[in-house]
Amino acid sequence: MAFEPRQTSLGGRLATLSRSGLEAVESWLECEREQIGLWVPIALGSGIAAWFILPHAMAWLAFCCGALALACLGVMLPDGGRLRRMLVAGAILACMGCLLVWGKAVMLGQPPLARARFVQMTGEVTAVRPVPAQAMVRVMLRPVDMPDLPAVVRVNIADADVPAGLGEGARLRFRVRLMPPAPPSVPGGYDFAARAYFQGIGATGKALKPVEVLTPSRAGPPLRTRLFGHILEQVDGPAEGIAAALATGDQGAIPEADAEAMRRSGLAHLLSISGLHVTALIGAVIFLLIRVMALSQRAALGWPLMLIAAAGGALAGIGYTVLTGAEVPTVRSCVAALLVLGGLAMGRDAVTLRLVATGALVVLLFWPEALAGPSFQMSFAAVTALVALAEHHRFRAFAAARDEIWVRKLGRNLTVMLATGIAVELVLMPIALFHFHKGGLLGAFANLIAIPLTTFVVMPLEALALLLDVAGLGAPAWWLTEQALNLLLLLAHGVAASPMASLLAPTMGMGLFAIAMIGLLWCLLWRTRWRWLGLPLVLMAVAVTFTASPPDILVTGDGRHVAVRTERGMAILRDRAGDYVRDVLSENAGYDGELAAIADLPEARCSVDLCAVRLKDSKGRNWRLLFTRSDMLIARRDFARDCAAADIVVSDRGLPRWCRPRWMKIDRRLLTRTGGLSIGLEQGEVHTVHRPGDGHPWISRPQPWPRGKRPKRTAP
């Protein structure tokens, strides 16, 4: 007894509480035993996400060691417990996820071009993609006899400069200014550099005329390109781009105004080939095969019609996935559809969350980098929300078919569709806020009309038109398709014009996004009442994002474009900036309005070369900002005086050492290290695109020019 803990000792009480807590957790996990397997892709994805979030190799190694240490701690828990197995398996999967994406980045990624260069390039064409909406053709090339260039280069060629004989296998020669793939312009912007790294693109540029064809292409256009061009010939007006996107997955022919209307109205998911399109195609193929085979008495009585039709639907789904480019949502939908068909063939209920988890696991194993993109996150979150809602006993009881008059049946179906639409919108809101800085509000109501219109009218009509085109009789079906698509566009523009269509918010931080995703997964994947513990996390993350103070100053990575927040709204330094720059600055600032010109502000004094602005923050402090607007040299005495009087100086060139503002000097040298900046004046917060010591391989690190090869600077 001398070695037993006393009943009144602190250690004895802690041991008793630990055992009681462990027993409570085990009892809860026993109730959730069917849901535990759903966390396998979550554990693998946590390791992949850690690799993207953590900055360098030592941090990645530390994460792997920490995950393995957690697995060792899990082994110390009592044998036979579910918590023990979950900790060990989850920690090992997290370590595997980090090593998986790290290994793929090292072995298969394409390092970016070191610096921008003008070159006379000779390249072999590997892919050609027309982009009619931007009047250009996007070409992928493999440089020939140029070992100092990346293995794959993407070049845009204006429609007017496209030569005859362009196609796969052609060899071209032209002059081009190659650039490394663009990083985010400002913090929270779209990171094309990371995506291009895993796609194998090391540089981008625009070809300068003339574009000379050394060896013309002997191969014909691929099926997807031929189908894309054929649809554009059959459909006129704005509807042609959407018709081509529904059949091929290529959105290059959709005008930007229509694409923005589809996004604001919550209908953009119709343009990306995903579960809706794959399911509609497979369902139509199965329906037609069963009806055709049932015409034969021998087949109807002796053949397994459902099994044969399911096999035909599976082949159609795989072919459609390959035809449309095998994007992540399409692959996920195809895998899920194949699992559903397999379950139906075996007589099982296949539409479950385990189906979704299996599809996510397959995608993460082959394309781990997809986890960081909005496509993967939104597609799986939407499907998970739909299946989780369908599995809820109360919703299932309400939506179950029953004998009732048609009015009640119609009302019930509309209510079910509205409930599922609202659930999807709520689940997708944190993801949309993080990636696009806006959340939809009316998408659920727009989808009540758009989804049935697309599924039961547009897609069948387009399929019928393509089928009739074999005999040259598709014109009437194409006209009907065009009218249906015009109705869809009318709906999109009408909803998008409403001020309640979407809400803009400042950039959501990575920490808030992680909290929101943990809360969402906790709510969607568990079944007991403890699932609702995740709801406060989601609400807190969204509330903090909407109530956060937006940045007062945004500076793009090249230093040319600056946006400042005034009492009248946002204003931009260069009023001739393009729509893309304006949209990026507005979205990341959480501002839904037109950007005025800084030179037109009453609190600004601008010349051709300089712009001085006086701002007042919420605390009443006056800030003096100074921006350069040209490359002309300014007298040292005047410029030094203006620098000393300013709190912040921003320039797209390197400023001399004697330019010493009171707080920050933002010039080309600083922006090379930090990338774009967002500044909050009230709290003195500065956020950068690049973090110090970031070791991700897609970050272009400028290298010094070899001696004697630095280009000479010419006078502006």
Side-chain angles (χ1 to χ4, degrees):
M1 293 178 61
F3 298 99
E4 292 289 335
R6 298 184 179 182
Q7 295 181 357
T8 57
S9 66
L10 181 60
R13 292 180 179 177
L14 289 178
T16 302
L17 290 175
S18 299
R19 285 194 297 270
S20 301
L22 188 60
E23 290 175 358
V25 171
E26 290 292 341
S27 299
W28 171 62
L29 291 177
E30 177 64 23
C31 298
E32 297 278 10
R33 59 187 180 274
E34 295 183 1
Q35 308 298 105
I36 294 176
L38 304 177
W39 292 88
V40 170
I42 308 301
L44 186 70
S46 66
I48 299 172
W51 186 82
F52 280 98
I53 295 172
L54 298 177
H56 46 69
M58 293 304 297
W60 306 332
L61 286 175
F63 174 83
C64 293
C65 293
L68 295 178
L70 180 62
C72 294
L73 290 176
V75 173
M76 300 172 63
L77 293 175
D79 292 338
R82 297 186 186 276
L83 182 61
R84 180 176 188 255
R85 295 195 293 269
M86 287 180 63
L87 285 178
V88 173
I92 293 176
L93 284 170
C95 179
M96 290 174 57
C98 185
L99 295 176
L100 176 65
V101 67
W102 190 359
K104 183 172 183 179
V106 171
M107 293 185 293
L108 301 178
Q110 174 61 60
L113 188 69
R115 65 178 71 86
R117 295 174 54 187
F118 268 110
V119 296
Q120 179 79 21
M121 179 180 170
T122 301
E124 182 179 346
V125 177
T126 60
V128 178
R129 181 198 167 202
V131 188
Q134 301 179 32
M136 69 178 185
V137 175
R138 189 161 287 162
V139 182
M140 305 287 286
L141 300 110
R142 185 181 299 110
V144 177
D145 297 330
M146 302 186 74
D148 54 339
L149 292 183
V152 178
V153 173
R154 194 186 78 177
V155 175
N156 297 332
I157 304 176
D159 283 346
D161 302 333
V162 174
L166 178 64
E168 293 186 16
R171 183 166 291 191
L172 309 180
R173 179 188 294 164
F174 51 86
R175 281 187 58 79
V176 61
R177 184 173 187 263
L178 293 179
M179 300 281 292
S185 301
V186 292
Y190 173 62
D191 193 353
F192 174 68
R195 182 177 181 182
Y197 178 81
F198 285 101
Q199 290 180 340
I201 302 173
T204 62
K206 182 178 180 180
L208 303 177
K209 60 181 181 181
V211 179
E212 182 181 358
V213 178
L214 302 180
T215 304
S217 174
R218 296 181 179 179
L223 176 60
R224 184 186 186 190
T225 303
R226 296 200 304 269
L227 181 61
F228 182 82
H230 174 75
I231 294 175
L232 294 185
E233 293 176 356
Q234 301 300 319
V235 182
D236 297 326
E240 63 179 9
I242 298 181
L246 291 176
T248 66
D250 191 339
Q251 303 180 26
I254 301 177
E256 180 57 31
D258 293 337
E260 178 63 20
M262 296 291 284
R263 287 192 291 267
R264 286 183 59 88
S265 60
L267 304 180
H269 65 95
L270 299 176
L271 305 179
S272 176
I273 305 298
S274 57
L276 175 67
H277 310 78
V278 175
T279 303
L281 174 68
I282 293 177
V285 171
I286 291 176
F287 176 82
L288 291 175
L289 287 178
I290 289 181
R291 290 298 184 271
V292 170
M293 289 187 295
L295 296 177
S296 170
Q297 182 178 3
R298 179 180 178 184
L301 297 178
W303 292 4
L305 299 187
M306 186 60 199
L307 188 60
I308 297 174
L315 292 176
I318 294 173
Y320 188 45
T321 300
V322 174
L323 173 66
T324 55
E327 298 289 341
V328 171
T330 318
V331 173
R332 187 267 309 161
S333 304
C334 184
V335 171
L338 294 179
L339 292 174
V340 169
L341 294 176
L344 293 176
M346 295 185 294
R348 301 286 300 274
D349 183 10
V351 185
T352 63
L353 285 176
R354 293 193 178 188
L355 166 73
V356 182
T358 303
L361 190 60
V362 171
V363 173
L364 291 179
L365 287 175
F366 289 95
W367 301 278
E369 70 279 4
L371 177 72
S375 176
F376 175 91
Q377 296 170 10
M378 300 186 81
S379 61
F380 276 99
V383 175
T384 302
L386 290 174
V387 178
L389 182 63
E391 289 185 349
H392 196 278
H393 63 280
R394 293 184 180 177
F395 183 83
R396 179 176 292 185
F398 177 80
R402 65 200 70 187
D403 292 332
E404 56 186 355
I405 60 176
W406 68 271
V407 176
R408 293 177 61 88
K409 182 176 294 187
L410 177 62
R412 188 180 302 276
N413 290 334
L414 291 177
T415 303
V416 169
M417 291 181 59
L418 181 61
T420 54
I422 293 175
V424 170
E425 290 289 342
L426 293 177
V427 168
L428 295 185
M429 179 173 288
I431 304 174
L433 289 177
F434 178 73
H435 290 284
F436 310 116
H437 320 295
K438 62 180 67 174
L441 298 177
L442 302 180
F445 300 95
N447 279 286
L448 279 177
I449 302 174
I451 290 179
L453 177 64
T454 304
T455 306
F456 301 113
V457 179
V458 175
M459 293 187 67
L461 283 175
E462 187 165 354
L464 177 63
L466 290 172
L467 184 63
L468 293 177
D469 276 346
V470 177
L473 303 175
W478 282 120
W479 183 85
L480 293 174
T481 303
E482 181 180 337
Q483 303 312 310
L485 288 174
N486 287 334
L487 180 60
L488 180 65
L489 282 173
L490 181 65
L491 172 65
H493 282 279
V495 174
S498 171
M500 295 296 293
S502 63
L503 289 178
L504 287 179
T507 300
M508 174 185 278
M510 183 66 70
L512 287 176
F513 181 62
I515 292 173
M517 294 308 298
I518 292 172
L520 275 179
L521 293 171
W522 192 271
C523 289
L524 294 176
L525 299 187
W526 296 126
R527 284 185 173 177
T528 60
R529 64 178 182 274
W530 296 104
R531 68 193 302 178
W532 301 115
L533 290 177
L535 187 59
L537 298 179
V538 181
L539 295 178
M540 181 198 70
V542 173
V544 170
T545 300
F546 276 111
T547 57
S549 298
D552 297 298
I553 303 174
L554 287 171
V555 184
T556 58
D558 56 4
R560 289 184 52 80
H561 301 285
V562 182
V564 298
R565 187 179 300 275
T566 68
E567 296 178 354
R568 300 171 182 83
M570 297 291 294
I572 192 171
L573 177 63
R574 302 178 188 272
D575 55 349
R576 295 184 180 180
D579 293 338
Y580 175 77
V581 173
R582 291 175 174 271
D583 291 342
V584 167
L585 294 175
S586 297
E587 290 177 1
N588 285 272
Y591 177 72
D592 191 10
E594 291 294 329
L595 295 178
I598 288 180
D600 297 336
L601 298 177
E603 55 264 40
R605 295 182 297 107
C606 296
S607 66
V608 176
D609 303 316
L610 293 174
C611 223
V613 183
R614 185 189 299 269
L615 294 182
K616 180 180 292 186
D617 61 20
S618 59
K619 295 181 179 180
R621 177 182 173 181
N622 288 317
W623 293 82
R624 296 183 177 182
L625 314 178
L626 181 65
F627 311 125
T628 64
R629 304 178 70 190
S630 72
D631 291 335
M632 300 299 295
L633 294 177
I634 304 172
R636 174 171 178 173
R637 182 184 61 183
D638 298 335
F639 194 44
R641 182 193 64 231
D642 293 339
C643 283
D647 297 293
I648 301 174
V649 177
V650 181
S651 177
D652 59 343
R653 51 181 165 168
L655 295 177
R657 296 181 182 274
W658 42 261
C659 177
R660 297 177 180 177
R662 297 174 181 174
W663 185 33
M664 289 188 67
K665 181 171 70 174
I666 304 172
D667 63 352
R668 184 174 57 195
R669 299 184 185 92
L670 177 67
L671 293 173
T672 299
R673 301 193 305 270
T674 64
L677 301 174
S678 66
I679 303 172
L681 296 178
E682 183 177 346
Q683 302 297 332
E685 296 180 350
V686 179
H687 299 279
T688 64
V689 169
H690 302 318
R691 294 169 293 176
D694 198 329
H696 288 99
W698 55 79
I699 296 179
S700 178
R701 297 171 179 82
Q703 300 176 1
W705 288 92
R707 181 173 297 179
K709 292 190 177 182
R710 175 181 290 275
K712 295 181 180 180
R713 183 175 179 180
T714 58

